[in-house]
Every structure is written in C-alpha cells, then in structure tokens.
C-alpha cells in the first residue's frame, strides 16, 4: 500500500507531452471524456440568457474580494471562532501539513477520510501524513481510483479521466483489498458494478473513521460558513460522520456574503459537470454538537500571486475545469505532462506563479499553450489566461541563442532602412537559406517550415510599381 505519488522532479512540459501523445489509449480516453463534458457544458450555458452578466458578476465579486482580502479573512476568522471553530493560519505547505498532522495526532487516531480537495493535493498532505504514520483515505470515486492505482490525478474535476472502465475494474480487482474491503467476486466493468464496489468499500471506511479532512469550494465571510459542492454524496458523509473535521482552504476561496454565493452556484455546476445544479451542496458553520471543527487558512504562494497585477486574476479561479476541457493542448498531452495537481490552461498560469519558475518544468508551463483563447472564452470568471501566459513568458528565462536572436531582430526592425537592406539581402541569397536551422535553433524548425523568402520584398515592389499603379 502506497500513500500516493508526487510530481516533483518531472522533466519540462515538451518532453512529458512528447511521451504522452504516443499513448493512443490515453488520447482516446481524453478526447471522449473532454468532448462529452464540453458538449454538456455548452448546452446548459446556452440555456441562460444572462450568462454573460453572471460571468461579469462572478469576475467582479472575486476581484472585489481579492482587493479586500485581509478584511474578509479577518471577518471569516472572527465568525468561525464565534461559532465554536478553531482557525489556523498556514504560510506554506509545510506549515499546513504540520498543523493537520498535529491535530490528527491529538485525537489519537491514525487514519483520516478525505473529501476531494485540490488544496490538500497541492500541499502533498497525504504524503506528509503518511510520514507521520497517518493514512489518508480518499473517498471521491475518481480520487479513490487514482489512490488505489498509485497514480497521479490528471484533471481537476475528473482526476482519473485518463482511465477507461476496464482499467478501473482491474485496479479495483487488484488493489482494493490492500486498502480495506476487497472488490466483489466476478466484478465486471459495468459502471453500476464499479460504483457498487466503491460504495461498499467506502461505506466501511466512513463508519469506522473518526477524523475527516476536506477543502472547500467557497467560504462566506459574513457568517464564517464553508461550502462544498459535489456529485456523489461521499463528501457529505465525511463532513457529517467523523468527530473531528479539519478543512484546509486556500485564502482566495472567500466570498463576502451569501448573496455572492448565488452567482457561483449558477456558474460552477454548469461550467464543471455541465449540470444545472450539483447534486449535493453542503454548508457548515463552526463546530456542531459532537464534532470539533478546525479551519486551516492556506497561503502557500497566494499573496505573492496577488502582488502581480496581471497574474493575480488566476486567483479568481473556481476550479471548474472548463478551460481544460476546451484546450487542444490538454486534450492531446493529458494532465500528467503539466507536472502539477493543476493541469491544463489554469495550471499553466497558476503553478509557475505559486511555485516560481525555478525548475525547467515550471519555466516551460507558460509555453504549454497555442494561445488560441478557447480557455478564456470558457472561463466562468473571465480569467484572460492567454494574457497571463504571455506575461509569464516575458518573465521566464530564455535560452541564450533565443535572446541573441531576438536582440538581432530588434536591431534590424528598429530602423526601416536596416529592415529594407536586410530584406534585399535575404532576397538575393534566398537560395542559400537552409530548410532546417543548425544547432539548438533546430528545435524551432523541427516542427515548422521556414517560409520561402520572395525574390522581391513588398516594400521594393511598392516602390517599383508605385503601389501597383504601374
Ligand atoms: S481558469 Fe476559469 S475555466 Fe479554468 S478552472 Fe479556473 S475558473 Fe474554470
């Protein structure tokens, strides 16, 4: 039994993607799944005549909250404490993991059940707890498949999107017994049979585990309420049955009031699962009778993102995954190539901002896009992902050859006379221009053709013919 995998030390995106596109099964699974969700989303979004207004409202609410984050965070802390909960502040992943491990140890328990949560994946909580002798059991169906398969999540909403049902049957059959109740004899790959096997396996876990760890989709500052949206009901079991509930939530998840939540309860389900509303919406405020409640407010790079005037819009993200489902790069490369729990377009702008661009992988992420703009169109909170990608590309370290090439191009383009001379020279010697550039520059021409240089430039043609009049 393993506690899970991490993405640390993966090579840069182009290498990961080059390997992933060779996997035709993966591409088939991804194409089928993303196109299905994409179609559902498009039809339910088209039903709402005021979708554009809702989107603008979502953007405005998030921007307002981020501008006043400190005030709303303090209001949240005060309200949770008044309702009998305990609030902890975590500057980074290490601190958050330490807080959660200490809280679990204080209960005397050695296992926790988990509600699907991106924040706890981001900080590597399962691995940190395992190092302390505490086992974290995922209860979301797709997260369970990833955990049993000792795999990595590859999609925000459907972490096992890269698996088809016969692969899932195999994982259940081979691995369930290592984690608790074994898969039933003669398990088939029918969706209902797989769901039943997961239900029986998880039910035992819910009834025997005394500590739960969750994230939250939203926090409402005016009352100190946390909100989780889900489809399976497993999250609600975790939130209500255990004696101790610990919620790890990114500080950007705040909303000022319940009125604001109304906007997001329309935007999120339609953008994520393509449903008019999600099947389960759980809300809770502080501690309830028989349950202790701890809220861990997680920064982990978010205030640094907030300081960047262009990049901060990434903090509006509500993790709906609509941008993944429309992205041509994600559809072909899959989620693992991004080397982070946040794959696809949002991962390409969020990960390098949260982790910095120190590693080859993180520096390559802003390039993991064609800049087609489909992600921006689909985003329910209007994050201009292409704008942030270009902004981050400007900040990334560029190879020396590229820097020299750009400097030379800048020198030529800076003066019209120089450009005209260069064009004339290019036309004269065009037969000697190779089809493939030499050395490190060949990476450019390996996947692109160098366009033919015309014998005469447009500028010279214009002068010779007086703009085509002669
Ligand atoms: S960036 Fe926008 S579309 Fe992508 S996951 Fe976040 S909210 Fe959804």
């Amino acid at each position: 039994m393993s506690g899970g995998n991490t993405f640390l030390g993966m090579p840069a995106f182009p290498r990961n993607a080059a390997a992933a596109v060779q996997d035709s099964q993966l591409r088939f699974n991804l194409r089928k799944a993303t196109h299905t969700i994409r179609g559902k989303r498009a039809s339910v979004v088209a039903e709402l005549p005021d979708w554009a207004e809702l989107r603008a409202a979502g953007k405005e609410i998030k921007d307002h909250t981020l501008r006043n984050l400190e005030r709303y965070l303090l209001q949240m802390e005060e309200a949770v404490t008044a309702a009998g909960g305990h609030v902890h502040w975590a500057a980074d992943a290490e601190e958050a993991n330490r807080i959660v491990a200490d809280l679990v140890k204080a209960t005397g328990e050695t296992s926790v059940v988990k509600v699907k949560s991106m924040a706890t994946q981001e900080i590597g909580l399962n691995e940190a707890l395992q190092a302390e002798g505490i086992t974290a059991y995922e209860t979301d169906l797709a997260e369970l498949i990833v955990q049993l398969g000792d795999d990595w999540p590859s999609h925000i909403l459907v972490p096992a999107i890269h698996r088809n049902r016969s692969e899932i049957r195999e994982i259940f059959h081979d691995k369930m017994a290592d984690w608790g109740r074994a898969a039933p004899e003669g398990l088939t790959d029918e969706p209902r049979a797989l769901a039943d096997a997961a239900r029986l396996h998880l039910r035992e876990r819910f009834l025997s585990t005394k500590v739960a760890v969750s994230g939250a989709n939203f926090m409402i500052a005016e009352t100190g309420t946390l909100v989780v949206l889900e489809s399976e009901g497993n999250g609600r079991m975790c939130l209500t049955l255990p004696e101790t509930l610990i919620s790890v939530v990114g500080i950007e998840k705040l909303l000022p009031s319940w009125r604001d939540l109304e906007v997001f309860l329309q935007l999120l389900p339609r953008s994520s699962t393509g449903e008019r509303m999600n099947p389960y919406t759980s809300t809770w405020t502080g501690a309830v009778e028989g349950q202790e409640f701890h809220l861990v407010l997680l920064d982990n790079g978010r205030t640094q993102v907030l300081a960047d005037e262009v990049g901060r819009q990434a903090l509006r993200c509500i993790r709906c995954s609509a941008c993944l489902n429309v992205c041509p790069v994600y559809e072909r490369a899959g989620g693992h190539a991004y080397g982070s729990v946040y794959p696809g377009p949002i991962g390409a702008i969020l990960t390098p901002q949260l982790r910095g661009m120190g590693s080859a992988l993180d520096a390559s992420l802003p390039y993991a896009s064609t800049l087609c703009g489909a992600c921006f169109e689909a985003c329910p909170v209007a994050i201009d992902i292409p704008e942030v990608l270009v902004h981050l590309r400007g900040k990334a370290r560029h190879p020396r050859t590229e820097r020299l090439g750009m400097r030379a191009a800048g020198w030529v383009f800076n003066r019209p006379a120089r450009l005209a001379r260069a064009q004339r020279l290019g036309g004269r010697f065009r037969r000697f221009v190779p089809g493939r550039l030499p050395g490190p520059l060949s990476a450019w021409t390996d996947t692109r053709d160098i366009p033919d240089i015309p014998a005469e430039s447009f500028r010279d043609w214009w002068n010779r013919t007086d703009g085509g009049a002669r």
Side-chain angles (χ1 to χ4, degrees):
M1 188 167 95
S2 157
N5 265 312
T6 70
F7 290 101
L8 287 179
M10 280 182 75
F13 181 84
R15 255 180 71 193
N16 298 334
V21 294
Q22 305 298 325
D23 185 342
S24 55
Q25 180 68 58
L26 172 76
R27 289 177 60 178
F28 177 81
N29 295 353
L30 276 172
R31 188 182 154 75
K32 192 158 178 270
T34 53
H35 281 244
T36 306
I37 309 177
R38 194 196 290 193
K40 279 175 72 183
R41 177 200 162 270
S43 71
V44 293
V45 163
E47 286 174 1
L48 290 187
D50 60 346
W51 182 256
E53 287 82 2
L54 275 170
R55 188 175 183 245
K59 171 181 184 289
E60 188 43 49
I61 292 166
K62 280 282 183 181
D63 279 345
H64 165 82
T65 316
L66 291 169
R67 277 197 301 272
N68 299 280
L69 194 57
E70 189 180 341
R71 165 154 69 94
Y72 289 121
L73 280 170
L74 292 174
Q75 192 183 355
M76 181 76 196
E77 180 185 34
E78 203 180 318
V80 170
T81 311
H86 304 272
V87 177
H88 311 260
W89 299 81
D92 54 23
E94 206 186 325
E95 194 176 359
N97 289 333
R98 163 74 19 233
I99 292 168
V100 177
D102 287 347
L103 288 170
V104 179
K105 280 186 189 166
T107 65
E109 296 295 318
T110 54
S111 63
V112 300
V113 279
K114 280 187 70 202
V115 185
K116 179 175 166 14
S117 144
M118 298 305 297
T120 58
Q121 281 180 15
E122 176 192 319
I123 59 175
L125 180 67
N126 291 12
E127 294 74 25
L129 290 179
Q130 192 183 33
E132 302 275 349
I134 300 162
T135 310
Y137 293 97
E138 297 290 349
T139 65
D140 173 82
L141 178 56
E143 291 290 359
L144 176 72
I145 295 163
V146 169
Q147 184 169 49
L148 295 180
D150 200 14
D151 199 355
W152 297 325
S154 67
H155 190 276
I156 292 177
L157 185 75
V158 201
I161 198 167
H162 54 290
R163 298 287 195 187
N164 62 26
R165 56 192 221 209
S166 72
E167 291 174 295
I168 295 169
R169 191 208 79 88
E170 231 164 90
I171 291 170
F172 280 10
H173 180 267
D174 296 347
K175 298 288 178 58
M176 252 184 184
D178 296 346
W179 289 81
R181 186 186 174 112
E185 282 296 314
L187 177 68
T188 69
D189 65 3
E190 283 305 308
R192 174 175 276 279
L194 294 172
D196 283 346
R199 190 173 294 125
L200 287 171
H201 177 82
L202 290 170
R203 191 57 59 101
E204 276 191 7
R205 191 62 62 206
F206 291 133
L207 295 173
S208 60
T209 310
K210 297 203 164 57
V211 183
V213 176
S214 85
N217 294 96
F218 304 103
M219 300 187 285
I220 301 171
E222 69 176 347
T223 53
T225 304
L226 279 84
V227 185
V228 162
L229 275 60
E230 47 142 355
S231 301
E232 298 166 6
N234 295 342
R236 180 166 291 180
M237 299 278 246
C238 291
L239 297 169
T240 50
L241 290 174
E243 292 163 11
T244 304
L245 173 60
I246 305 165
S247 301
V248 182
V249 189
I251 52 176
E252 83 284 15
K253 297 281 171 177
L254 270 173
L255 298 177
S257 69
W258 282 87
R259 272 182 74 102
D260 302 318
L261 181 66
E262 182 226 327
V263 172
F264 292 95
L265 288 184
Q266 296 179 73
L267 288 175
L268 183 52
R270 284 176 197 258
S271 303
S272 56
T273 47
E275 292 167 306
R276 296 187 183 98
M277 70 181 284
N278 49 293
Y280 294 87
T281 302
S282 300
T283 66
W284 70 101
T285 307
V288 291
E289 204 186 324
Q291 191 184 61
E292 196 175 307
F293 173 61
H294 296 269
L295 170 61
V296 182
L297 290 168
L298 177 72
D299 184 330
N300 204 32
R302 285 159 173 78
T303 44
Q304 180 184 303
V305 181
L306 197 55
D308 186 314
E309 280 180 25
V310 178
R312 69 170 63 136
Q313 54 187 308
L315 295 178
R316 291 204 296 262
C317 176
I318 53 173
R319 313 279 190 262
C320 70
S321 73
C323 58
L324 277 64
N325 300 330
V326 296
C327 177
V329 177
Y330 175 84
E331 186 186 318
R332 282 153 186 85
H336 291 161
Y338 295 79
S340 150
V341 296
Y342 302 114
I346 182 59
I349 61 168
L350 193 57
T351 308
Q353 293 198 83
L354 289 176
R355 298 202 298 217
M357 289 196 274
S359 72
L361 172 65
D362 293 337
S364 71
L365 287 176
Y367 296 90
S369 167
T370 61
L371 301 180
C372 70
C375 48
F376 176 39
E377 292 295 316
C379 179
V381 283
I383 299 173
D384 192 341
I385 294 176
E387 183 191 20
V388 183
L389 285 167
V390 171
H391 172 67
L392 293 175
R393 286 179 189 188
K395 290 174 138 191
R397 261 189 66 75
H398 296 268
R400 192 153 170 268
T401 41
E402 189 185 328
R403 273 183 283 144
L404 286 175
M406 287 298 161
R407 206 172 301 155
W411 185 81
V412 172
F413 284 116
N414 218 4
R415 291 264 192 287
R418 263 185 223 150
L419 177 61
R421 227 173 300 137
Q423 285 171 327
R424 240 166 266 141
L425 272 175
R428 200 167 305 153
F429 294 104
R430 68 189 206 281
R431 267 185 223 94
F432 302 104
V433 174
R436 193 166 177 271
L437 293 173
L441 296 174
S442 64
W444 179 262
T445 46
D446 281 349
T447 51
R448 298 170 184 85
D449 295 326
I450 296 185
D452 288 337
I453 299 176
E456 183 179 38
S457 71
F458 174 78
R459 192 184 293 258
D460 285 346
W461 169 84
W462 185 275
N463 288 337
R464 183 171 56 79
T465 64
D466 194 15
R470 287 203 296 266

